[in-house]
Amino acid sequence: MARWCYRHRLVVLLLWVGALFGLGAAGSSAGTSYADVFSLPNTDSKSAYDLMQKAFPERAGDTDTVVWKVDEGSVRDESVRSRIEPALNEIGAMKGVGEVASPYGDRGAAQISEDGRIAYAQVTFAEQANAVPKDLVQDVVDTAQGAERAGLEVELGGQAIMRVQEPPTGTAELVGIGAAAIVLFLAFGSLFAMLLPILIAVFGVGTGLFSTQLLSHVTNVPELASLLSTLIGLGVGIDYALFIVTRHRRGILRGADPEEAAVTALNTSGRAVLFAGGTVCIALAGMLVTNLRFLDGVVIGTSLTVVLSVLAAVTLLPAMLGILGHRVLSRRQRRKLADGGTSRSSEAEGGGGAGGDRPSGLAARWSTSVERRPRSVALLALVAMAVLALPVLSLRLGTIDQGNDEASTTTRKAYDLLAEGFGPGFNGPLQVVVNGDGTDALVATIRDTEGVAQAVSVPPANGVTVIQVVPTTSPQAVETDRLIDTLRDEVIVDAGVEAHVGGVTAVSKDFASVTADRLPLFIATIIGLGFLLLLVAFRSLVVPLTAALMNLIAAAASFGVLVAIFQWGWGLDLLGLGTEGPIAAFLPIIMLSLLFGLSMDYQVFLVSRMHEEWVHTKDNARAVRVGLAETSRVINSAALIMVCVFLAFVLSGDYGAAMAGVGLAAAVALDAFILRTALVPAAMHLIGKANWWLPAGLEKRLPHLAVEPKEEADPQETPAAPAPDGPASVVHGFVRTVEGEPVGGAAVTLLSKGGRQLDRVNSLADGSYILSVPAPGAYLVSTTAAPYGSRAGHVVVADGPLVYDVELAEGEVDAVS
């Protein structure tokens, strides 16, 4: 498939362009039909909602609030009323506004605070908030705030009002893409190579969002799905393309034809991308076990975007590689190739960012440091993660509202004014819904209950009475949660009536409780699936167990960061993210799904290289050292891109999106920079050969899954066919100076007794090398590196790997003895 896409690149490009614009046109003409269907079966708030539906059919329009406050006098003064009433009348006459309930009407006395300084009016639109035209909402805001004067403050709150104070759509995405472009350019040193991952991500996310938009007409898809699809689609799309482009550039630097390099890249890294994309989708599907039906649409939208991002990476990307040819390399690299310098010289001299075949000196030195001091590295990493995880002990799930908005927004000011004039609980009243008679005594009991500021019953309808209960504390306060429990478990039970506590605040509390109850099953499901996948991929029990433990550590630390920032308020002012509050109840499930999928990507990329080295040498220390040295740079680059994309959603204007972005950015950063490049390799050094242990009986029963097959060998490195008298083996070791300094880029050659070249490699930056031996026997190992002389020596290889270290001295030529 990769070869076909490469050769028919214009056809593939036109198909993708047609798909993107076709889906875009269809989505634009059909519009959106996002349905935030939220249901919590078998909860008290759901029972209250059902009774409310029976007595008071749901109104179609969204109701927002206009709040005003005077510094002196009363809102009833003619000087205030003469400014506010015309504005309210003008708003009521606007097309799309159904009704305006003014405090100056016959029933408006309750809409004025006791001290007379604060009042509010309710504006009911003809449609729900998401369907109200922004122009209309802006006209309402401008008209209401046009009544302001010195000493008279006018603010507005509500879901529709929030839409006009959000930054322009796409701001967060553009900032994230811009930051990712900078990282990619620094990694590749090539403008065209930088643009490729971004292009793939745009096509994947674009087609995914338009497809989800169309699906919203045939199934329930919440608007949250579009945000999360963009969040995860940009991250995985750029990362997957980064892995493939890195392997493709490596092939060209080795002297391969661009077409063969692209085919090899797709047959190696492309397979890993397919596996990684599958793990992300499986992790997302894990949300289904929670039985929270509103998440079904989230799973559909996000999984579809991931699938299309993977499809773009394995079809559109090889086509684009064919169009660019050698231009995926930097100018410096292209000049070296034109001058006849093939991969070995280019790579040894720093072939360019992530595309080089050899790890950078820093990566190799870090890998060697981890090998020398695994206990210290593991201890420091564990202490750092433990400290970051400590705040998670005070984690409290809840809901976020306009009280969490940034202090300068009109919605936050309106929220604060209502709390000041009518009490903190006014922004989240409870509804005690009674089926039948006998409410007078219940109302009196509720009024006398601690924590209740006000309780008023609404005239009954269809045998159902609603009691509006205003708590003395805010909707997010722990005391409000306790009040709900008191009403349910004591007050209503003692009254002996059929009643249920509902309202937005009660629904939020029930949702947090349901989420907390089902979270252990969800975590067990995704951890179990990850264990099975890695068990099959790496034929080991310890590797998947280590990965599962690391996922739990990463989750705990990242939620610790979330609690410290959003629940304790550390740094919220610096980030411009409003005020502290509980962690959104939906976030653990969403975040753990994405964290699991993304961390699996890095684990597969890291351990697959270690596993390949282990299969060849059976040397655990070398396998871990080489695997870390050769993959850490790409993993860190990919993680840095993810962090940039996720943090950009702080600019989205949505508090929930900002919380998800910060949480995911922290999770990815901790996972990649601390766990995968420090704790995992240190632990694997300490565990030793047991990393790769698998019971023989289980080995026979497990299916074989090739995550990333061995890359096609360089023609210069192809060993002779194994001799018929014994199995193949290896010679490996280090090339160092007499002072013990590693020598990178040294040419190490394996020769037969007759002088025929059997294998030739260049040492890595840490001085390590590995030569393929066709069969047991006597051989000659020759080592050459400028400005040092050459050294050669006889070796005798038995049935297993042979360790052979080489020391080079400047200007020395060693005779073969």
Side-chain angles (χ1 to χ4, degrees), residues 344-429:
R344 299 302 171 197
S345 61
S346 296
E347 293 153 8
E349 295 171 15
D357 182 46
R358 303 302 181 199
S360 67
L362 180 60
R365 288 193 296 272
W366 170 249
S367 181
T368 302
S369 299
V370 173
E371 181 186 14
R372 291 175 178 171
R373 292 177 290 274
R375 286 183 177 82
S376 300
V377 171
L379 181 61
L380 287 174
L382 277 175
V383 169
M385 298 298 282
V387 170
L388 291 173
L390 282 176
V392 82
L393 297 176
S394 62
L395 171 67
R396 187 168 72 90
L397 300 180
T399 186
I400 52 179
D401 56 28
Q402 293 178 0
N404 298 113
D405 290 351
E406 206 275 322
S408 63
T409 60
T410 187
T411 51
R412 169 66 183 282
K413 291 177 180 177
Y415 185 98
D416 291 342
L417 287 178
L418 289 172
E420 178 186 346
F422 304 93
F426 186 82
N427 286 294

Side-chain angles (χ1 to χ4, degrees), residues 657-745:
M659 186 181 292
V662 171
L664 285 170
V668 169
L670 295 174
D671 189 277
F673 301 144
I674 297 181
L675 294 185
R676 306 302 160 185
T677 58
L679 186 54
V680 169
M684 293 182 73
H685 276 300
L686 292 173
I687 295 172
K689 292 185 177 181
N691 283 308
W692 316 104
W693 176 75
L694 185 68
L698 186 57
E699 168 68 35
K700 295 177 181 178
R701 291 177 173 83
L702 287 179
H704 285 269
L705 176 64
V707 177
E708 188 171 352
K710 186 179 178 181
E711 189 176 345
E712 294 177 13
D714 189 317
Q716 298 181 25
E717 294 183 1
T718 303
D725 58 344
S729 185
V730 296
V731 174
H732 65 94
F734 290 89
V735 182
R736 294 191 174 98
T737 66
V738 292
E739 290 82 14
E741 295 296 323
V743 178

Side-chain angles (χ1 to χ4, degrees), residues 75-128:
V75 294
R76 297 183 180 91
D77 295 343
E78 183 60 28
S79 60
V80 176
R81 186 168 179 172
S82 63
R83 296 186 66 85
I84 296 295
E85 271 196 308
L88 296 179
N89 292 334
E90 184 179 347
I91 292 172
M94 293 179 182
K95 184 178 180 180
V97 175
E99 180 186 7
V100 176
S102 170
Y104 300 123
D106 296 336
R107 301 178 181 177
Q111 295 172 230
I112 300 177
S113 63
E114 290 185 4
D115 61 7
R117 296 177 58 199
I118 299 175
Y120 70 91
Q122 291 183 320
V123 179
T124 302
F125 293 97
E127 297 179 285
Q128 289 293 329

Side-chain angles (χ1 to χ4, degrees), residues 248-402:
H248 174 71
R249 284 160 53 93
R250 181 182 301 170
I252 295 179
L253 287 171
R254 286 180 170 177
D257 176 77
E259 180 177 342
E260 293 304 320
V263 171
T264 299
L266 267 295
N267 193 40
T268 52
S269 293
R271 287 176 182 264
V273 163
L274 288 173
F275 181 83
T279 60
V280 174
C281 291
I282 290 173
L284 293 171
M287 287 189 278
L288 299 177
V289 303
T290 63
N291 201 31
L292 297 172
R293 295 278 68 90
F294 84 97
L295 289 176
D296 293 356
V298 174
V299 174
I300 292 172
T302 51
S303 298
L304 181 59
T305 303
V306 171
V307 168
L308 289 170
S309 297
V310 171
L311 186 61
V314 298
T315 58
L316 178 59
L317 184 54
M320 295 304 301
L321 293 175
I323 292 174
L324 293 179
H326 284 90
R327 285 174 293 179
V328 294
L329 302 178
S330 65
R331 292 182 179 179
R332 179 185 177 189
Q333 291 168 329
R334 294 201 300 270
R335 284 197 300 268
K336 290 187 180 219
L337 285 178
D339 293 339
T342 59
S343 65
R344 299 302 171 197
S345 61
S346 296
E347 293 153 8
E349 295 171 15
D357 182 46
R358 303 302 181 199
S360 67
L362 180 60
R365 288 193 296 272
W366 170 249
S367 181
T368 302
S369 299
V370 173
E371 181 186 14
R372 291 175 178 171
R373 292 177 290 274
R375 286 183 177 82
S376 300
V377 171
L379 181 61
L380 287 174
L382 277 175
V383 169
M385 298 298 282
V387 170
L388 291 173
L390 282 176
V392 82
L393 297 176
S394 62
L395 171 67
R396 187 168 72 90
L397 300 180
T399 186
I400 52 179
D401 56 28
Q402 293 178 0

